[in-house]
């Protein structure tokens, strides 16, 4: 493997805990993971004919794959035992998806609103209310606002029912959404004193968490899956899952951030305050499968009396829906303008 790194005049990095490795040259960043049959080259996924293997402290990749990385080099030999050695096979190339514009670069039409929790999963509880009811009420008002503006609007649930986390993104994909908005209320489990202090809204995108605080919020939102018996449920993404996600995240990262910018603008000056910078990132399971720009909104802290009181009133819910709708419109305009600069309109 290191000979490949030398051939492309790059440096080789090995991450033993994650079992991933990368080769960085002036032009290219190649990333691999032991046991996973694809790599990324500058963020784009490329199939490998075989998963890299770790054997006796040596990393091996198949000859075909080594050739792909640099066709000049003397490739590492495949690790397959002689008995299993198969004739060199052509690299399997997955059929390309039909040439159509992906969500985030095409005009914004379909908005998927995902009211968190529901049914047997109440989400976080305040003194007088439950998260699942607040987010559903806001979602319905938001649906009306957006429909009035001509958007095609879909809700992952429009009543008090339980839907698995992964199912929500799958629905969004089925509807071919342009934007996925998951609605939640934040909460802390702490002393009454702390609950009085900790309040505010925050917007989350799917990215590796940069703070313990963000990690904890994702763990709480993800706990649904482990609590209510989803198959293979976990409350945190493994390093390998992050690796697998990376290429896809890259596709929607800019537009997800663009939408959070619009949210920051429209939430400014509202009754509920901004928490910290207003933007965070972590491994929210509900966002993982969405093939579109996706943002999770924590409307406010249900554990804080002030925030809770506001989120419980019809006026407060309407105000929150108005602000999100405004951000969606601004986002749509921004994407439209961007397309114009590319001459796509
Ligand atoms: Zn939640």
């Amino acid at each position: 493997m290191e000979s490949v790194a030398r051939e492309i005049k790059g440096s080789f990095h090995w991450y033993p805990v994650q079992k991933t490795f990368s080769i960085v040259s002036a032009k290219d960043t190649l990333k691999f993971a032991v046991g996973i049959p694809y790599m990324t080259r500058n963020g784009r996924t490329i199939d490998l004919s075989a998963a890299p293997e770790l054997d006796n402290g040596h990393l091996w990749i198949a000859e075909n794959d080594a050739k792909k990385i640099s066709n000049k080099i003397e490739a590492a030999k495949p690790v397959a035992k002689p008995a299993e050695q198969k004739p060199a096979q052509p690299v399997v190339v997955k059929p390309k998806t039909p040439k159509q514009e992906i969500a985030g670069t095409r005009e914004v039409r379909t908005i998927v609103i995902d009211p968190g929790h529901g049914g047997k999963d109440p989400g976080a509880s305040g003194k007088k209310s439950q998260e699942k009811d607040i987010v559903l009420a806001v979602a319905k008002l938001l649906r009306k606002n957006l429909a009035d503006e001509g958007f095609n609007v879909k809700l992952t649930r429009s009543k008090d029912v339980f839907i698995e986390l992964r199912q929500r993104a799958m629905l969004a994909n089925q509807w071919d959404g342009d934007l996925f908005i998951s609605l939640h209320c934040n909460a802390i489990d702490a002393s009454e004193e702390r609950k009085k202090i900790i309040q505010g809204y925050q917007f989350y995108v799917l990215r590796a968490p940069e703070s313990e605080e963000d990690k904890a919020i994702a763990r709480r939102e993800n706990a649904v899956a482990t609590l209510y018996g989803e198959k293979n449920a976990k409350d945190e993404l493994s390093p390998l899952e992050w690796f697998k996600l990376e290429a896809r995240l890259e596709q929607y990262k800019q537009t997800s951030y663009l939408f959070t910018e619009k949210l920051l603008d429209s939430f400014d000056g509202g009754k509920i305050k901004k928490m910290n910078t207003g933007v965070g990132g972590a491994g929210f399971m509900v966002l993982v499968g969405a093939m579109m720009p996706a943002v999770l909104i924590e409307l406010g802290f249900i554990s804080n009396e002030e925030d809770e009181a506001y989120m419980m009133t019809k006026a407060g819910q309407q105000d929150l829906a108005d602000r999100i709708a405004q951000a969606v419109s601004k986002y749509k305009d921004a994407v439209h303008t961007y397309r114009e600069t590319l001459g796509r309109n």
Side-chain angles (χ1 to χ4, degrees):
M1 199 58 230
E2 282 181 13
S3 69
V4 178
R6 276 199 299 277
E7 188 64 29
I8 66 163
K9 295 187 175 57
S11 54
F12 175 80
H13 308 268
W14 165 241
Y15 306 94
V17 178
Q18 306 170 17
K19 291 199 168 47
T20 62
F21 52 101
S22 62
I23 302 170
V24 181
S25 75
K27 275 196 316 198
D28 294 305
T29 298
L30 312 175
K31 293 186 180 179
F32 305 82
V34 171
I36 294 182
Y38 47 82
M39 59 176 274
T40 64
R41 181 172 214 149
N42 304 326
R44 313 194 88 176
T45 307
I46 299 172
D47 288 344
L48 295 175
S49 52
E53 292 186 29
L54 180 63
D55 181 46
N56 263 336
H58 292 278
L59 284 164
W60 295 92
I61 58 172
E63 195 163 4
N64 283 346
D65 299 325
K67 276 186 188 145
K68 240 190 295 181
I69 296 165
S70 167
N71 48 22
K72 291 179 206 150
I73 59 156
E74 179 96 37
K77 292 279 185 290
V79 287
K81 293 179 200 105
E84 293 169 11
Q85 200 118 30
K86 293 173 197 149
Q89 285 175 357
V91 177
V92 180
V93 181
K94 279 188 204 152
K96 285 221 170 74
T97 42
K99 209 155 172 53
Q100 60 178 27
E101 291 179 299
I102 62 160
T105 63
R106 65 192 182 206
E107 295 288 348
V108 179
R109 291 191 179 93
T110 302
I111 312 297
V112 180
I113 307 169
D114 171 49
H117 314 276
K120 63 187 175 184
D121 167 24
S125 295
K127 286 218 167 74
K128 298 171 184 162
S129 65
Q130 293 187 315
E131 179 180 1
K132 66 173 183 176
D133 300 318
I134 290 175
V135 295
L136 181 58
V138 174
K140 286 179 173 173
L141 295 167
L142 178 58
R143 170 170 63 186
K144 166 110 183 40
N145 279 14
L146 292 174
D148 287 350
E149 287 178 45
F151 288 101
N152 177 28
V153 192
K154 300 282 189 186
L155 263 62
T156 54
R157 69 178 178 98
S158 53
K159 47 187 186 210
D160 187 18
V161 290
F162 178 75
I163 301 175
E164 291 191 355
L165 289 180
R166 76 189 79 188
Q167 186 67 23
R168 296 167 186 259
M170 276 168 54
L171 284 169
N173 294 342
Q174 272 170 30
W175 292 324
D176 198 17
D178 293 300
L179 183 62
F180 183 76
I181 306 172
S182 192
L183 297 176
H184 292 262
C185 303
N186 222 332
I188 51 158
D189 187 17
S191 66
E192 288 304 310
E193 280 299 283
R194 292 272 300 158
K195 286 182 178 175
K196 275 196 187 113
I197 300 165
I198 306 296
Q199 59 185 144
Y201 59 80
Q202 203 162 23
F203 312 120
Y204 285 92
V205 294
L206 190 57
R207 68 160 191 235
E210 285 163 9
S211 73
E212 279 307 313
E213 207 172 27
D214 285 356
K215 237 186 194 173
I217 291 168
R219 232 179 272 130
R220 188 178 56 69
E221 296 293 4
N222 291 341
V224 180
T226 38
L227 278 175
Y228 300 97
E230 291 186 24
K231 266 178 248 145
N232 308 318
K234 300 181 287 288
D235 64 2
E236 240 176 287
L237 289 176
S238 71
L240 287 185
E241 282 166 318
W242 275 115
F243 172 83
K244 287 197 258 182
L245 260 175
E246 222 163 49
R248 183 141 55 79
L249 287 182
E250 201 55 41
Q251 270 190 311
Y252 305 119
K253 194 165 87 183
Q254 281 194 331
T255 35
S256 297
Y257 276 112
L258 177 64
F259 180 54
T260 58
E261 272 171 37
K262 303 302 174 195
L263 284 167
L264 284 171
D265 287 347
S266 68
F267 271 62
D268 194 35
K271 174 76 170 62
I272 296 180
K273 297 176 182 68
K274 181 164 74 180
M275 191 201 184
N276 301 333
T277 61
V279 180
F284 291 96
M285 298 296 176
V286 68
L287 304 182
V288 166
M291 305 292 279
M292 65 199 71
V295 173
L296 183 142
I297 300 180
E298 298 280 6
L299 295 165
F301 275 76
I302 201 169
S303 51
N304 175 272
E305 266 178 60
E306 257 178 68
D307 280 9
E308 184 191 20
Y310 193 66
M311 292 190 292
M312 279 177 66
T313 62
K314 182 77 196 284
Q317 291 165 356
Q318 186 64 62
D319 175 59
L320 291 166
D322 290 349
R323 289 174 190 275
I324 299 167
Q326 194 194 4
V328 173
S329 282
K330 293 269 166 65
Y331 170 76
K332 176 199 157 95
D333 293 347
V335 171
H336 181 77
T337 307
Y338 175 70
R339 287 171 54 81
E340 272 180 341
T341 63
L342 297 178
R344 288 211 184 129
N345 290 301

